Amino acid sequence: MPHGHGPQHDRQPGHSDPSLYRTPAEAIAAPPEKLAYVAGFDRSAQRPDALITVDTDPASPSYGRVLNLTDMPGVGDELHHFGWNACSSALAHAGHHDAERRYLLLPGLRSSRLHVLDTRPDPVRPRLVKTVAAEELAARAGYSRPHTLHCGPDGVFLSCLGAAAGGDGPGGVALLDHTTFDVLRPWETERGPQNFSYDVWWHLGTNVGVTSEWGTPWMVEDGVVPELLLGRKYGHALHFWELDSGRHLQRIDLGDQYQMVLELRPAHDPQAEWGFAGVVTNVEDLSASVWLWYRDGEAFTARKVIEIPAEPAKAEDLPPVLQPFGAVPPLVTDINLSVDDRWLYVSAWGTGELLQYDVADPFHPRLTGSVRLGGVTARTPHPAEPDRPLSGAPQMVEISRDGRRLYLTNSLYGSWDDQFYPGGIEPWIVKLDADPERGGLTVDPRFFPHGEEFQGLRVHQTHLAGGDASSDSYCYR
């Protein structure tokens, strides 16, 4: 099938899916989600991972309950991030003529397999329709350990941590056919200095791609390697690309003390050229930070706009990996930006805090709310069960299109869970209610699926039926 090069400016005929929205404002005004899909994985790799369906309709008798688990065909995938085959920007992709937000693509971060699930005809019970083998990803794109994916102008962009051989780099982005999900090729045509990979996003209106850095598979799969962290060997840069050609344009080094530049959240306005990047830790003081990238003349630049300090703690209350430091680092492991580009949410997975910032002025974020749940030492309980200390902490955060609801899960990555929460992580999903006009957060006491509802699986990323803040990009204002 043909593939376009960059967004077109007329709506393509043939698009009938009402969950593809011309503009962010149209997405915000659409009906609220009634289902959430959650990636669940078995830490022991003894049973299949699963896509979990959860009821998010407050009027439903099963609100806040797990409705279904669709098992993967094998074991050992470690489902992590996943995404839709199509998002709202497909309305302007010349090569995505009859797009439907129908298929969920689930990469196995350890197995390097990619599973395709169809949410039709029964959205509660998606069914497996295809598996892309690790060998195909390696042979056609030269990559392994698929991590994050988004529907893009030339295909589905699938970021991968490792090279085909497995343990080392360079990581990068594989392009998949929009319709068949066959692996087409590597996206990069001129890689430049880029070696580490993690997230990939873009500014569609100006033909700019952005990638971030974690580490190669051998650097991350068995947990944080203290020697690498203190030696400042993990990723600490942002990369900018020509989106249609895959040509590297610019590298911005944030400073090697800022270790692990992970989630990218560009403005949803397709003509804007700014976005936020989360940094897990500063090895000099264990603080975490959020950086703003933006165009400055012919090039991009970045500045730190949020810093979250570590919190002192007694050594005996800390896991072994943190005992030498006498503190709990915030560990910013996810951030998310509301569809109206007004509110930024920051997960501090170490201290157990979810923070809300007003970013109407992205250069000067203003803290407007926070909620504490779990945490390495605090283990703050959910209001529905105040006597039950929580393990894990807010990690992945998803925002409804209208900005009124947030969904939090508590597992980061199996081997990293074991280091920071060695007592184990009992899975949970929490819903927060947000005020998108004035700011502020409250925990919904009715929504708290946890424990055995997930049949032994830990939970990571959530996506919402009909789209959400992190899975959609737009081509129109």
Side-chain angles (χ1 to χ4, degrees):
M1 66 185 274
H3 294 279
H5 291 278
Q8 309 298 304
H9 296 291
D10 296 308
R11 183 171 183 147
Q12 300 292 315
H15 291 294
S16 58
D17 187 337
S19 79
L20 301 181
Y21 314 105
R22 286 183 57 85
T23 65
E26 187 178 305
I28 291 168
E33 68 284 350
K34 293 190 176 182
L35 295 174
Y37 298 105
V38 186
F41 73 96
D42 176 31
R43 174 63 182 128
S44 70
Q46 298 301 302
R47 63 147 291 177
D49 294 354
L51 180 67
I52 302 163
T53 310
V54 179
D55 189 337
T56 61
D57 181 359
S60 167
S62 54
Y63 175 63
R65 301 272 68 86
V66 171
L67 300 177
N68 182 69
L69 281 79
T70 299
D71 284 347
M72 299 303 105
V75 297
D77 283 313
E78 186 138 359
L79 299 183
H80 194 70
H81 291 198
F82 67 107
W84 292 100
N85 67 301
C87 79
S88 294
S89 65
L91 294 175
H93 294 168
H96 209 162
H97 181 78
D98 298 312
E100 297 178 283
R101 193 194 306 269
R102 173 173 177 173
Y103 298 97
L104 284 166
L105 282 60
L106 288 82
L109 188 52
R110 286 188 181 269
S111 69
S112 295
R113 296 185 291 259
L114 175 73
H115 305 295
V116 181
L117 274 65
D118 190 351
T119 63
R120 310 273 178 85
D122 183 355
V124 172
R125 296 169 182 81
R127 54 195 178 88
L128 181 74
V129 294
K130 179 171 183 169
T131 294
V132 178
E135 293 77 11
E136 179 181 342
L137 180 61
R140 297 188 180 180
Y143 293 129
S144 67
R145 312 308 199 274
H147 180 267
T148 292
L149 60 89
H150 301 291
C151 161
D154 284 340
V156 176
F157 282 54
L158 178 65
S159 74
C160 304
L161 298 185
D168 219 328
V173 178
L175 277 180
L176 278 60
D177 187 279
H178 277 135
T179 303
T180 66
F181 311 119
D182 293 337
V183 180
L184 299 174
R185 59 179 175 85
W187 167 61
E188 302 85 357
T189 58
E190 296 179 26
R191 185 181 302 280
Q194 181 266 333
N195 182 52
F196 294 148
S197 180
Y198 182 80
D199 203 359
V200 57
W201 257 120
W202 43 64
H203 300 302
L204 278 176
T206 56
N207 194 36
V208 172
V210 191
T211 63
S212 59
E213 299 187 336
W214 188 12
T216 59
W218 75 266
M219 297 171 68
V220 304
E221 285 186 340
D222 294 327
V224 180
V225 182
E227 294 79 11
L228 294 178
L229 182 66
L230 298 177
R232 308 181 183 208
K233 300 298 185 183
Y234 288 98
H236 45 88
L238 294 170
H239 297 269
F240 295 84
W241 309 74
E242 193 171 63
L243 183 61
D244 58 1
S245 71
R247 182 171 65 91
H248 189 278
L249 300 174
Q250 184 183 358
R251 177 181 185 266
I252 298 179
D253 190 339
L254 304 187
D256 65 10
Q257 69 270 41
Y258 296 107
Q259 289 283 285
M260 294 176 278
V261 186
L262 298 189
E263 304 298 333
L264 301 175
R265 303 299 180 193
H268 293 88
D269 178 344
Q271 296 301 319
E273 289 190 291
W274 59 266
F276 295 104
V279 176
V280 174
T281 194
N282 178 345
V283 295
E284 294 179 348
D285 60 9
L286 297 187
S287 65
S289 54
V290 177
W291 293 64
L292 175 73
W293 79 76
Y294 58 97
R295 182 175 288 282
D296 184 13
E298 292 299 310
F300 284 87
T301 190
R303 67 167 69 173
K304 182 168 60 174
V305 292
I306 295 171
E307 184 172 274
I308 304 169
E311 297 181 356
K314 296 178 181 178
E316 60 266 28
D317 295 334
L318 294 168
V321 71
L322 294 176
Q323 286 176 356
F325 303 102
V328 180
L331 301 177
V332 165
T333 51
D334 192 24
I335 62 174
N336 211 335
L337 181 64
S338 62
V339 170
D340 62 2
D341 294 335
R342 171 72 188 278
W343 305 98
L344 181 73
Y345 294 93
V346 179
S347 292
W349 186 69
T351 52
E353 189 171 18
L354 190 285
L355 302 107
Q356 178 195 59
Y357 293 87
D358 184 339
V359 292
D361 176 358
F363 290 87
H364 300 96
R366 183 171 59 89
L367 182 65
T368 50
S370 76
V371 166
R372 286 189 178 255
L373 294 158
V376 168
T377 58
R379 303 200 67 187
T380 306
H382 189 280
E385 297 191 20
D387 297 325
R388 184 192 191 103
L390 291 183
S391 56
Q395 207 283 293
M396 295 304 292
V397 52
E398 193 50 80
I399 313 169
S400 64
R401 295 179 307 279
D402 61 8
R404 296 184 177 277
R405 295 168 300 285
L406 281 70
Y407 299 89
L408 313 177
T409 52
N410 67 330
S411 169
L412 172 59
Y413 184 41
S415 57
W416 294 46
D417 291 350
D418 298 345
Q419 285 181 298
F420 292 96
Y421 293 91
I425 283 191
E426 183 182 56
W428 47 260
I429 305 175
V430 170
K431 173 177 165 279
L432 306 182
D433 293 314
D435 183 337
E437 282 80 39
R438 295 179 297 275
L441 294 168
T442 56
V443 180
D444 180 350
R446 295 179 57 209
F447 191 101
F448 185 40
H450 59 280
E452 290 307 311
E453 288 195 61
F454 300 111
Q455 299 180 25
L457 302 182
R458 297 183 188 180
V459 289
H460 189 63
Q461 191 177 42
T462 301
H463 281 307
L464 306 178
D468 47 57
S470 76
S471 62
D472 256 348
S473 60
Y474 306 89
C475 286
Y476 305 97
R477 280 180 160 165

